mmCIF file of all heavy atoms in Angstrom:
data_model
loop_
_atom_site.group_PDB
_atom_site.id
_atom_site.type_symbol
_atom_site.label_atom_id
_atom_site.label_comp_id
_atom_site.label_asym_id
_atom_site.label_seq_id
_atom_site.Cartn_x
_atom_site.Cartn_y
_atom_site.Cartn_z
ATOM 1 N N ASP A 843 134.627 82.052 59.348
ATOM 2 C CA ASP A 843 134.932 82.993 60.425
ATOM 3 C C ASP A 843 134.729 84.427 59.947
ATOM 4 O O ASP A 843 134.731 84.718 58.747
ATOM 5 C CB ASP A 843 136.363 82.785 60.943
ATOM 6 C CG ASP A 843 137.407 83.121 59.897
ATOM 7 O OD1 ASP A 843 137.780 82.220 59.129
ATOM 8 O OD2 ASP A 843 137.835 84.297 59.854
ATOM 9 N N MET A 856 134.907 96.637 45.492
ATOM 10 C CA MET A 856 135.668 97.212 44.374
ATOM 11 C C MET A 856 134.746 97.397 43.177
ATOM 12 O O MET A 856 133.905 96.520 42.895
ATOM 13 C CB MET A 856 136.859 96.324 44.036
ATOM 14 C CG MET A 856 137.925 96.365 45.122
ATOM 15 S SD MET A 856 139.420 95.458 44.729
ATOM 16 C CE MET A 856 138.887 93.789 45.017
ATOM 17 N N ILE A 859 134.009 94.511 40.437
ATOM 18 C CA ILE A 859 133.452 93.201 40.777
ATOM 19 C C ILE A 859 132.087 93.090 40.117
ATOM 20 O O ILE A 859 131.221 93.955 40.295
ATOM 21 C CB ILE A 859 133.318 93.028 42.310
ATOM 22 C CG1 ILE A 859 134.685 93.131 42.990
ATOM 23 C CG2 ILE A 859 132.622 91.720 42.654
ATOM 24 C CD1 ILE A 859 135.664 92.042 42.602
ATOM 25 N N LEU A 884 134.804 92.782 35.753
ATOM 26 C CA LEU A 884 134.418 93.333 34.463
ATOM 27 C C LEU A 884 135.377 94.471 34.139
ATOM 28 O O LEU A 884 135.451 95.453 34.876
ATOM 29 C CB LEU A 884 132.971 93.841 34.520
ATOM 30 C CG LEU A 884 132.357 94.318 33.205
ATOM 31 C CD1 LEU A 884 132.254 93.168 32.209
ATOM 32 C CD2 LEU A 884 130.976 94.913 33.467
ATOM 33 N N ASP A 911 135.658 44.746 45.475
ATOM 34 C CA ASP A 911 136.777 44.609 44.529
ATOM 35 C C ASP A 911 138.112 44.987 45.162
ATOM 36 O O ASP A 911 139.169 44.691 44.599
ATOM 37 C CB ASP A 911 136.552 45.499 43.297
ATOM 38 C CG ASP A 911 135.328 45.085 42.503
ATOM 39 O OD1 ASP A 911 135.188 43.874 42.245
ATOM 40 O OD2 ASP A 911 134.528 45.972 42.146
ATOM 41 N N GLU A 924 151.219 55.383 45.554
ATOM 42 C CA GLU A 924 152.445 56.121 45.866
ATOM 43 C C GLU A 924 153.547 55.857 44.840
ATOM 44 O O GLU A 924 154.342 56.738 44.540
ATOM 45 C CB GLU A 924 152.937 55.765 47.267
ATOM 46 C CG GLU A 924 152.055 56.329 48.363
ATOM 47 C CD GLU A 924 152.458 55.855 49.743
ATOM 48 O OE1 GLU A 924 153.364 54.995 49.852
ATOM 49 O OE2 GLU A 924 151.869 56.340 50.720
ATOM 50 N N LEU A 929 154.502 61.717 45.905
ATOM 51 C CA LEU A 929 153.763 62.513 46.878
ATOM 52 C C LEU A 929 154.610 63.673 47.377
ATOM 53 O O LEU A 929 154.987 63.751 48.527
ATOM 54 C CB LEU A 929 153.334 61.618 48.050
ATOM 55 C CG LEU A 929 152.579 60.343 47.655
ATOM 56 C CD1 LEU A 929 152.221 59.538 48.877
ATOM 57 C CD2 LEU A 929 151.338 60.689 46.862
ATOM 58 N N LYS A 937 163.162 60.907 38.935
ATOM 59 C CA LYS A 937 162.923 60.646 37.507
ATOM 60 C C LYS A 937 161.506 61.061 37.152
ATOM 61 O O LYS A 937 160.654 61.243 38.029
ATOM 62 C CB LYS A 937 163.119 59.162 37.200
ATOM 63 C CG LYS A 937 162.137 58.254 37.934
ATOM 64 C CD LYS A 937 162.305 56.816 37.523
ATOM 65 C CE LYS A 937 161.225 55.961 38.194
ATOM 66 N NZ LYS A 937 161.198 54.618 37.714
ATOM 67 N N ALA A 951 157.910 69.657 23.033
ATOM 68 C CA ALA A 951 157.704 69.972 21.624
ATOM 69 C C ALA A 951 157.103 71.368 21.451
ATOM 70 O O ALA A 951 157.514 72.136 20.574
ATOM 71 C CB ALA A 951 156.796 68.919 20.980
ATOM 72 N N TRP A 967 161.850 71.235 36.052
ATOM 73 C CA TRP A 967 160.409 71.327 35.826
ATOM 74 C C TRP A 967 159.784 69.994 35.437
ATOM 75 O O TRP A 967 158.653 69.694 35.805
ATOM 76 C CB TRP A 967 160.103 72.394 34.775
ATOM 77 C CG TRP A 967 160.565 72.073 33.378
ATOM 78 C CD1 TRP A 967 161.764 72.375 32.827
ATOM 79 C CD2 TRP A 967 159.821 71.390 32.364
ATOM 80 N NE1 TRP A 967 161.834 71.927 31.543
ATOM 81 C CE2 TRP A 967 160.655 71.320 31.221
ATOM 82 C CE3 TRP A 967 158.538 70.835 32.294
ATOM 83 C CZ2 TRP A 967 160.234 70.715 30.032
ATOM 84 C CZ3 TRP A 967 158.122 70.233 31.115
ATOM 85 C CH2 TRP A 967 158.977 70.177 30.000
ATOM 86 N N GLY A 975 152.000 67.244 44.633
ATOM 87 C CA GLY A 975 152.120 68.514 45.332
ATOM 88 C C GLY A 975 152.362 68.219 46.803
ATOM 89 O O GLY A 975 152.262 67.084 47.251
ATOM 90 N N ASN A 978 148.845 70.278 51.983
ATOM 91 C CA ASN A 978 147.559 69.648 52.280
ATOM 92 C C ASN A 978 146.978 68.873 51.098
ATOM 93 O O ASN A 978 145.795 68.543 51.085
ATOM 94 C CB ASN A 978 146.548 70.703 52.747
ATOM 95 C CG ASN A 978 146.244 71.730 51.661
ATOM 96 O OD1 ASN A 978 146.962 71.828 50.665
ATOM 97 N ND2 ASN A 978 145.194 72.500 51.852
ATOM 98 N N ASN A 1004 152.790 79.735 41.742
ATOM 99 C CA ASN A 1004 153.352 80.842 42.507
ATOM 100 C C ASN A 1004 154.233 81.715 41.618
ATOM 101 O O ASN A 1004 154.157 82.944 41.668
ATOM 102 C CB ASN A 1004 154.157 80.293 43.697
ATOM 103 C CG ASN A 1004 154.567 81.379 44.656
ATOM 104 O OD1 ASN A 1004 155.317 82.281 44.295
ATOM 105 N ND2 ASN A 1004 154.090 81.307 45.878
ATOM 106 N N GLY A 1022 148.688 103.165 34.841
ATOM 107 C CA GLY A 1022 148.076 102.375 33.776
ATOM 108 C C GLY A 1022 148.836 102.392 32.464
ATOM 109 O O GLY A 1022 148.465 101.702 31.529
ATOM 110 N N CYS A 1028 156.861 105.166 31.509
ATOM 111 C CA CYS A 1028 156.592 105.899 32.759
ATOM 112 C C CYS A 1028 157.878 106.341 33.433
ATOM 113 O O CYS A 1028 158.946 105.997 33.056
ATOM 114 C CB CYS A 1028 155.727 105.049 33.657
ATOM 115 S SG CYS A 1028 156.516 104.273 35.033
#
Side-chain angles (χ1 to χ4, degrees):
D843 66 271
M856 290 185 283
I859 299 296
L884 186 64
D911 296 313
E924 289 174 354
L929 307 179
K937 63 176 185 172
W967 68 270
N978 63 346
N1004 190 297
C1028 105

